[in-house]
C-alpha cells in the first residue's frame, strides 16, 4: 500500500459532481492516493499504451534482451551484469528524466551511438493518431497482426 498518483479520464462534458464522485471512488480503490490527475480519454490513450507500454515497457524488454546478450554472448557473469545495469539504470533515469545531473561528454557520445544504432529516425510517429489507432487495434487482436 505505497502512496501513488493516479491518472484518470472522464468525459469532458461530465458535470463536476461526477468527477468529484469518481475521484472519491478512485481514492478508495487505489488507496493511498497522493493525487488524481485528470486527462481526456485521448490523452489517456497517448499515455497508455504509447508512453507506458510502447515506449517504457519496450525499453524494459530491450534492457532485458541486452542483459541476456551481455551474459550469454559477451560472457559477463550474470550477477555482475545485473549489478552494473540496475545501478546505472537508476542513475540514467534520474539524470535523463529529472535533469539532476548531466551525463558526461563520453556518455553523451555513447548515447548518440545508441540512438543512431538502435532507434529509428521516425520513431516519434507513435504519437500520431493513425499509429495510435494501429496499436490500440492490435492489442485486443481486433486487427490481424500486420507489421
Amino acid at each position: 500500500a505505497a502512496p501513488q498518483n493516479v491518472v484518470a479520464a472522464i468525459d469532458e462534458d461530465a458535470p463536476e459532481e461526477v468527477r468529484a464522485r469518481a475521484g472519491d471512488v478512485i481514492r478508495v480503490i487505489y488507496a493511498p492516493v497522493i493525487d488524481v490527475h485528470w486527462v481526456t480519454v485521448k490523452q489517456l490513450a497517448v499515455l497508455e499504451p504509447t508512453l507506458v507500454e510502447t515506449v517504457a515497457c519496450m525499453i524494459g524488454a530491450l534492457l532485458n534482451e541486452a542483459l541476456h546478450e551481455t551474459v550469454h554472448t559477451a560472457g559477463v557473469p550474470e550477477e555482475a551484469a545485473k549489478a552494473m545495469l540496475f545501478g546505472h539504470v537508476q542513475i540514467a533515469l534520474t539524470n535523463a528524466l529529472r535533469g539532476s545531473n548531466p551525463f558526461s561528454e563520453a556518455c553523451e557520445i555513447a548515447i548518440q551511438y545508441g540512438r543512431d544504432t538502435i532507434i529509428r529516425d521516425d520513431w516519434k510517429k507513435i504519437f500520431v493518431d493513425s499509429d495510435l489507432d494501429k496499436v490500440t487495434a492490435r492489442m485486443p487482436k481486433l486487427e490481424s497482426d500486420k507489421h
Side-chain angles (χ1 to χ4, degrees):
Q4 62 183 322
N5 285 293
V6 175
V7 177
I10 197 166
D11 187 331
E12 294 173 48
D13 297 328
E16 186 54 43
E17 54 271 9
V18 170
R19 182 181 296 219
R21 175 172 260 179
D24 291 342
V25 171
I26 288 166
R27 287 180 182 283
V28 169
I29 292 172
Y30 296 104
V33 172
I34 298 166
D35 200 3
V36 177
H37 301 277
W38 293 99
V39 297
T40 66
V41 172
K42 167 82 184 295
Q43 290 168 335
L44 187 58
V46 170
L47 292 171
E48 187 171 10
T50 304
L51 178 63
V52 175
E53 294 166 342
T54 303
V55 177
C57 293
M58 179 275 302
I59 289 172
L62 178 65
L63 289 171
N64 189 44
E65 288 181 50
L67 177 62
H68 183 273
E69 289 301 309
T70 300
V71 171
H72 298 285
T73 301
V76 175
E78 185 171 2
E79 292 308 311
K82 284 180 176 179
M84 183 68 83
L85 178 64
F86 295 167
H88 280 71
V89 163
Q90 291 176 24
I91 292 166
L93 291 174
T94 299
N95 288 354
L97 297 176
R98 293 191 175 161
S100 60
N101 198 17
F103 292 114
S104 69
E105 188 175 334
C107 183
E108 290 288 355
I109 291 168
I111 289 169
Q112 190 58 51
Y113 173 75
R115 269 190 184 278
D116 295 344
T117 306
I118 300 169
I119 305 296
R120 293 172 52 142
D121 289 340
D122 68 344
W123 77 268
K124 292 180 183 177
K125 71 181 183 176
I126 63 172
F127 291 97
V128 175
D129 287 351
S130 59
D131 260 45
L132 180 58
D133 291 345
K134 278 186 219 174
V135 73
T136 54
R138 280 185 187 167
M139 292 173 76
K141 299 184 180 182
L142 298 176
E143 172 183 286
S144 64
D145 193 18
K146 297 177 234 163
H147 296 286

